[in-house]
Amino acid sequence: MAMQHHQRPRRNRASHLIRELVAETVVDRRKLIMPHFVVEGTHQREQINSMPGISRVSVDNLLKDMESDHRSGIDKILLFGIPEKKDEMGSGAYDRNGVVQKALREIKKNLPGILVITDVCLCEYTSHGHCGMVEGGNILNDPTLELLARTALSHAESGSDMVAPSDMMDGRVRAIRQALDAGGFDDLPILSYSAKYASAFYGPFREAAGSAPQFGDRSSYQMDSRNTIEAEREILLDIQEGADIVMVKPALSYLDIIYRIRRIVNVPLCAYNVSGEYSMVKAMARLGYCDEERMTKEIITSIFRAGADMIISYHTRDIFRNGWF
Ligand code: PBG
């Protein structure tokens, strides 16, 4: 016998079509950004073991990948460079003929319809693998700022559409804004990795970029995962310094941070669904422990639901190719 319930939430879940109508979060694929790793040379394509489906490629292959991605609808990318040689000063990062700078010129010549965001950091370019200058085992803040500013400016000069500092040095957004303005790039936006936590989830990326620190770790500059109020401070400082878009990174273990930051800022908020988050899904799928499509969709949906306005994700290619969402 039916009980008398006035409230039956299940009525709104009764069919696929009703569920569609009442869905509160609608994922818009136009808000997804695909990361790429570019290396020197030609005809290079090295699979990254821990990140199935992701490779390090030379510019010729990068253009091919971007073109085929573009056909499936991807028109926003984040570019990382892996230089042939590394040194103490990370000089490959701000070299006019550095790997990212060369790639940018080729992309802009051949694929002008794609938005190219460039990661601004030194760790892929330094022999010690840290994101800043090192002296006596310390990561120096202020001497690093000038190098980051030079890096951002050289990306701008090579055609970058947006620079994304990921180093977590204090004051770098201001330093980069000043350098860009002085160089005539006052219209170029800064997407700041503002609340970037020291995270084990970056493990696969460091294999991909060969950027694991050679001594110590990044906890003197990246944030402590126990902290929330500090994330607010970092985000608000970056906005004051001129960030146009701010970021929380990683995403999945930090959905509460995304939720909280969305409520206190009046600039767009990006979330980075990082390498380890991607690798977990891929590893489970390989083992037959999950339904990759459903899990990926649930993850991407949850990051938007928490409040992200856009997501950088290695899943982007699978999402577009397979028509997920
Ligand atoms: C460079 C940088 C890192 C990531 C983005 N930019 C690595 C790090 O801080 O060690 C991580 C991206 C990922 O894990 O997908 N500083």
Side-chain angles (χ1 to χ4, degrees), residues 63-294:
L63 292 176
K64 282 184 198 148
D65 291 355
M66 285 177 62
E67 216 173 334
S68 76
D69 282 351
H70 198 196
R71 278 196 293 276
S72 70
I74 301 172
D75 54 10
K76 300 164 193 86
I77 71 145
L78 172 65
L79 191 59
F80 291 97
I82 302 150
E84 224 152 44
K85 290 192 285 297
K86 306 184 188 236
D87 60 32
E88 288 264 295
M89 304 285 286
S91 56
Y94 39 90
D95 181 344
R96 224 193 94 74
N97 287 312
V99 61
V100 165
Q101 289 80 354
K102 283 191 290 196
L104 277 168
R105 291 193 287 269
E106 289 301 312
I107 296 169
K108 284 294 139 186
K109 196 161 34 160
N110 295 286
L111 298 165
I114 294 178
L115 183 90
V116 185
I117 307 168
T118 49
D119 186 88
V120 172
C121 197
L122 299 179
C123 63
E124 298 94 340
Y125 303 88
T126 50
S127 42
H128 44 71
H130 278 289
C131 305
M133 294 296 85
V134 171
E135 201 178 87
N138 293 317
I139 319 306
L140 305 179
N141 196 87
D142 295 5
T144 301
L145 298 183
E146 199 218 314
L147 303 184
L148 293 167
R150 276 169 67 180
T151 303
L153 182 60
S154 84
H155 288 183
E157 287 166 347
S158 304
S160 175
D161 296 304
M162 188 183 295
V163 291
S166 65
D167 52 282
M168 288 299 279
M169 296 298 124
D170 293 334
R172 92 275 206 204
V173 173
R174 186 191 311 276
I176 289 172
R177 186 71 270 161
Q178 278 170 356
L180 291 176
D181 290 356
F185 294 99
D186 42 340
D187 284 336
L188 199 87
I190 299 175
L191 160 58
S192 179
Y193 288 68
S194 304
K196 177 174 178 178
Y197 286 87
S199 172
F201 288 97
Y202 307 150
F205 174 95
R206 292 181 190 168
E207 181 205 328
S211 65
Q214 298 303 300
F215 68 90
D217 57 30
R218 302 210 201 290
S219 43
S220 78
Y221 43 107
Q222 297 181 347
M223 285 183 52
D224 188 315
S225 59
R226 292 170 292 191
N227 296 348
T228 312
I229 297 165
E230 193 186 0
E232 295 189 354
R233 182 183 188 200
E234 284 283 6
I235 295 262
L236 294 175
L237 275 172
D238 279 5
I239 295 173
Q240 271 172 28
E241 290 181 28
D244 300 283
I245 303 175
V246 291
M247 190 201 293
V248 171
K249 176 187 176 191
L252 277 189
S253 289
Y254 300 86
L255 293 176
D256 58 324
I257 308 297
I258 295 171
Y259 182 83
R260 187 150 158 170
I261 295 300
R262 180 60 287 173
R263 271 149 190 75
I264 64 161
V265 300
N266 58 4
V267 298
L269 174 61
C270 179
Y272 199 141
N273 176 212
V274 300
S275 57
E277 297 171 344
Y278 173 83
S279 298
M280 286 197 303
V281 175
K282 289 287 177 183
M284 285 180 73
R286 281 203 165 172
L287 290 165
Y289 291 171
C290 75
D291 176 330
E292 183 179 348
E293 172 177 354
R294 286 188 55 208

